[in-house]
Amino acid sequence: MAKKTETRPATASINPFGLRMQPELRERLETSAGLSGRSLNAEIVQRLEASFGHNKRTAFELLRRIIEVVTSTEASLQRMRADIESYQAGDKVPLAWLTAPGQIQEDKKVLDAARQVLDLIEKDLAKAKSFVPVLIEATKSGGPVPEEIYSFLAQA
């Protein structure tokens, strides 16, 4: 006897369901939906299904996104370090974006500003890297993902 396969009704045949929520929650859901490439409705459905023990896929998608952020942030860090070295060697072009158009800044001020940007990039990189083990664990266990990770990715 053939095994019966589960089928879902076509989306058009599903009755709409109105849902009220706080604007902050909706914003977080929309951000998460955008990061995962889903519609708001699909994100809500996925999260409801995940509440029944299917959280691993979401954690894996977030892990993939964090790895992308780490990779791009490391590249930005390398570029910024190279730009600082070029500036110190006399090439003012790489850090020209740190000065107002038409104004000449003292080298010390430009380098200080560049180092502040470098520091911010390093902090973002450290934070992103700190989320990797948390997301690996959530991917394995299907456990919850801290809200801080969603917030971080929304700003990345």
Side-chain angles (χ1 to χ4, degrees):
M1 184 167 168
K3 184 178 178 183
K4 184 177 179 180
T5 58
E6 178 185 338
T7 59
R8 290 185 162 188
T11 304
S13 68
I14 299 173
N15 289 329
F17 177 75
L19 178 65
R20 285 181 266 214
M21 68 180 82
Q22 295 296 322
E24 299 86 1
L25 177 58
R26 182 182 178 114
E27 184 179 321
R28 288 181 10 214
L29 285 166
E30 287 172 337
T31 299
S32 181
L35 291 171
S36 61
R38 291 189 282 264
S39 68
L40 178 59
N41 186 77
E43 181 69 15
I44 292 169
V45 169
Q46 190 280 330
R47 285 174 172 268
L48 287 171
E49 288 179 345
S51 71
F52 295 105
H54 305 288
N55 230 5
K56 293 179 181 182
R57 185 170 33 124
T58 299
F60 180 77
E61 290 171 6
L62 292 169
L63 176 61
R64 186 178 49 77
R65 178 70 177 113
I66 283 288
I67 290 170
E68 290 171 2
V69 168
V70 166
T71 302
S72 67
T73 305
E74 284 175 337
S76 295
L77 195 57
Q78 288 176 350
R79 277 193 309 274
M80 192 64 185
R81 286 181 178 142
D83 288 351
I84 290 171
E85 286 179 24
S86 294
Y87 190 90
Q88 289 172 322
D91 182 4
K92 307 299 183 196
V93 174
L95 297 180
W97 60 272
L98 288 171
T99 61
Q103 288 189 338
I104 298 175
Q105 290 281 351
E106 297 174 31
D107 285 348
K108 181 182 179 338
K109 287 184 179 180
V110 172
L111 288 171
D112 285 346
R115 288 186 184 109
Q116 287 175 354
V117 171
L118 190 65
D119 187 48
L120 292 172
I121 295 170
E122 287 172 339
K123 286 178 181 176
D124 276 351
L125 179 60
K127 186 161 214 93
K129 284 183 173 181
S130 75
F131 294 142
V132 171
V134 173
L135 288 169
I136 288 173
E137 180 57 34
T139 299
K140 289 178 183 177
S141 69
V145 174
E147 281 299 319
E148 182 182 17
I149 294 174
Y150 289 101
S151 298
F152 178 83
L153 286 172
Q155 296 172 7

